[in-house]
Amino acid sequence: MRQPPAAFITVYGQTRPLTPQHLTTIGRDAENDIVLPEPECSRRHCELIFQNGRWFIRDCDSRNGTFVNDKQITGEHLLQPGDVIRIALVKINFTILSGGDTKASMPAMDETMFEAALTGRTQPAERDGFSKLLGTSPATEELREQIKRSAPLHAPLLIHGPVGSGKGVVAQQVHLASGRLPGTFVRWDCNQFASTGVADSGRMGKITMPQPGGTLFLDEVSVLSPADQSALINMLAPLDAPPADPTHRRSRIMASTSVDLEAAASAGKFRHDLYLRLGVLTLTVKPLAERKEDIMVLAEDFRQHFAAELGRAVEGFTPAAVRALESHSWPGNVRELENTIYRAVALCLSSSIDAGDLHLTVKATGERPAGTISPPYQGRSLEDVELAHILATLNATGWNKTRASQVLGIERSTLDRKLKRYGLNRPNTPGGGPMRSDTVS
């Protein structure tokens, strides 16, 4: 008997396989296969069904309707590959693999996503490739000029700047501006060696060095222990040697630090010879608070990316949200802004992000954001609201508990206790929706 073609839906940035023998339900209640904890989503909103060799979507008399390619449907509707289902603010992409199709047939799915779709194991999407240096502030324009001047050189480069300010992006841009290939950029996150130590762990030989003519970027080099610093000096020695082929370019070393490395070296907290080795050239990335003109440029880029990644029809910012973003002090810099926009896109209740969706702290801002509003009253218990909010966050983060706990502002252990209390387990059904342990035999 001929097997039906494989079908998939992508919701909240996750691609999940559909099973022809299984009726897939979508709605707000936790017992649905796909849970959409959106206020405008009905308890059982719609169903996906396979019959007579074709896939259909059936609206279950939902309160606010089911839309396919922005047209509201009634009853059953035949789905075609590439259709976009919209429920409230959530966009769900429908895809079919016909006979002989491979991941090359699906440009929207990379190898990791294709494998996840076939196995049912999903994970949050990640930003691919190198990030752009965005912004229009004088400080950013000056930084671009410094990148142009530094890029053609092969001397080591040390990038200063506070945590989360975008030092890694600057390193990428120097690498690209030098004409080196993207695939020859190797980043070491020195924080992963800070506790166990590169030298002590015996993992030095396992660390990938750049290809000849590539770039080695040591991210947050100041966290390395004295033993690691000594080992690093020995490891970098081969990069000093000129290439065997005189037509080849020299490899380049770059490093970043969020502390004053010269002061640390003078105080004996960092090897002075390693500081001199790394700091031949320097660049400085200013805090986001000193680059106010960059805030909305970055915020809009993050909004567009996360709206596409999470499949949410979030189309802009209200004037109140813009005022709140521009008046915030951003102690966590660009990383804090990115996390703020991610949370707002994932959890906002309308198509425009408002000031109340940003959840900026009064302490950091100095005053409550103008236009802060409360969600509409829904007559639900506190437990029901908390459960829905936790589910929304877990779905938006692809059940990445570490990121979900950061968005929720609680410890990972607290999130685990709440999941146990509500009897929630990670999706493992064909439809991929959250399961209550009390409903599993």
Side-chain angles (χ1 to χ4, degrees):
M1 184 176 179
R2 186 180 178 182
Q3 288 286 94
F8 308 90
I9 57 172
T10 302
V11 56
Y12 286 131
Q14 301 180 71
T15 298
R16 308 178 180 193
L18 296 173
T19 304
Q21 299 81 9
H22 178 76
L23 176 71
T24 301
T25 61
I26 302 175
R28 195 176 72 244
D29 278 352
E31 62 264 21
N32 287 285
D33 297 304
I34 306 295
V35 177
L36 303 182
E38 307 280 337
E40 296 181 3
C41 179
S42 298
R43 292 183 179 277
R44 182 161 178 156
H45 198 100
C46 62
E47 303 167 338
L48 296 172
I49 186 171
F50 185 78
Q51 56 188 12
N52 300 323
R54 296 183 295 180
W55 282 98
F56 293 83
I57 184 170
R58 178 191 300 145
D59 183 78
C60 300
D61 297 323
S62 62
R63 184 173 69 252
N64 293 304
T66 301
F67 297 79
V68 176
N69 301 327
D70 288 328
K71 294 182 179 180
Q72 186 170 359
I73 67 169
T74 56
E76 289 186 356
H77 177 86
L78 175 64
L79 287 172
Q80 302 290 343
D83 279 350
V84 178
I85 304 164
R86 182 171 62 80
I87 300 171
L89 296 178
V90 180
K91 293 181 178 180
I92 303 174
N93 296 297
F94 175 77
T95 306
I96 291 180
L97 267 67
S98 57
D101 276 357
T102 65
K103 60 178 177 289
S105 311
M106 303 178 65
M109 298 176 69
D110 61 17
E111 185 169 354
T112 302
M113 188 68 76
F114 185 84
E115 175 67 18
L118 294 179
T119 62
R121 296 189 298 269
T122 57
Q123 62 186 39
E126 295 182 356
R127 304 189 78 163
D128 296 326
F130 283 8
S131 300
K132 296 179 181 178
L133 181 62
L134 299 175
T136 59
S137 67
T140 299
E141 294 293 348
E142 173 60 24
L143 185 58
R144 288 195 182 97
E145 289 299 317
Q146 293 177 357
I147 289 173
K148 290 179 182 179
R149 293 194 295 269
S150 302
L153 308 175
H154 69 263
L157 173 66
L158 184 61
I159 305 171
H160 296 270
V163 173
S165 57
K167 299 185 293 295
V169 174
V170 172
Q172 292 175 351
Q173 292 303 307
V174 172
H175 176 85
L176 290 180
S178 71
R180 290 176 166 86
L181 298 176
T184 64
F185 182 89
V186 176
R187 172 183 175 268
W188 285 7
D189 180 3
C190 295
N191 284 290
Q192 66 179 310
F193 303 123
S195 57
T196 58
V198 177
D200 298 335
S201 69
R203 293 179 292 176
M204 293 170 57
K206 299 180 182 179
I207 297 176
T208 303
M209 296 294 283
Q211 298 177 20
T215 297
L216 174 64
F217 175 51
L218 307 168
D219 200 3
E220 295 296 346
V221 68
S222 60
V223 304
L224 294 178
S225 68
D228 297 335
Q229 295 172 33
S230 298
L232 182 59
I233 289 178
N234 294 329
M235 293 175 64
L236 297 181
L239 298 181
D240 285 329
D245 187 337
T247 64
H248 290 174
R249 300 184 68 176
R250 283 195 175 193
S251 299
R252 189 172 194 180
I253 303 168
M254 287 190 273
S256 73
T257 176
S258 56
V259 303
D260 186 338
L261 214 55
E262 182 178 11
S266 299
K269 297 180 180 179
F270 194 84
R271 286 191 58 145
H272 195 266
D273 55 347
L274 181 57
Y275 164 68
L276 294 176
R277 173 76 175 77
L278 298 175
V280 178
L281 302 174
T282 61
L283 289 178
T284 300
V285 185
K286 299 289 187 180
L288 186 56
E290 298 180 21
R291 299 184 277 141
K292 291 291 188 181
E293 298 90 342
D294 296 349
I295 292 173
M296 288 312 303
V297 177
L298 291 163
E300 179 59 24
D301 180 68
F302 292 143
R303 180 200 64 78
Q304 291 181 14
H305 175 78
F306 291 131
E309 178 184 286
L310 300 176
R312 303 206 77 221
V314 179
E315 300 171 354
F317 300 89
T318 66
V322 173
R323 290 194 296 270
L325 289 167
E326 291 181 338
S327 63
H328 189 64
S329 61
W330 300 111
N333 295 291
V334 179
R335 188 174 302 156
E336 180 189 359
L337 175 61
E338 181 178 17
N339 290 341
T340 296
I341 302 304
Y342 181 97
R343 179 173 58 240
V345 170
L347 303 178
C348 71
L349 300 176
S350 66
S351 60
S352 294
I353 296 173
D354 203 359
D357 300 316
L358 300 171
H359 299 288
L360 298 175
T361 62
V362 176
K363 180 179 180 181
T365 307
E367 59 181 14
R368 292 191 178 278
T372 300
I373 59 173
S374 299
Y377 177 70
Q378 299 174 9
R380 304 165 69 186
S381 68
L382 184 59
E383 180 178 283
D384 190 24
V385 171
E386 180 179 66
L387 172 60
H389 187 59
I390 290 174
L391 276 175
T393 306
L394 286 167
N395 281 329
T397 58
W399 278 74
N400 183 322
K401 293 182 182 180
T402 299
R403 187 155 193 177
S405 61
Q406 293 171 346
V407 172
L408 292 168
I410 60 178
E411 296 293 332
R412 165 68 185 269
S413 58
T414 302
L415 177 59
D416 287 333
R417 287 195 297 271
K418 289 182 180 294
L419 293 178
K420 183 177 181 180
R421 171 187 171 190
Y422 290 124
L424 286 172
N425 299 314
R426 181 173 181 138
N428 57 9
T429 61
M435 296 177 60
R436 296 292 290 269
S437 59
D438 54 5
T439 65
V440 181
S441 59

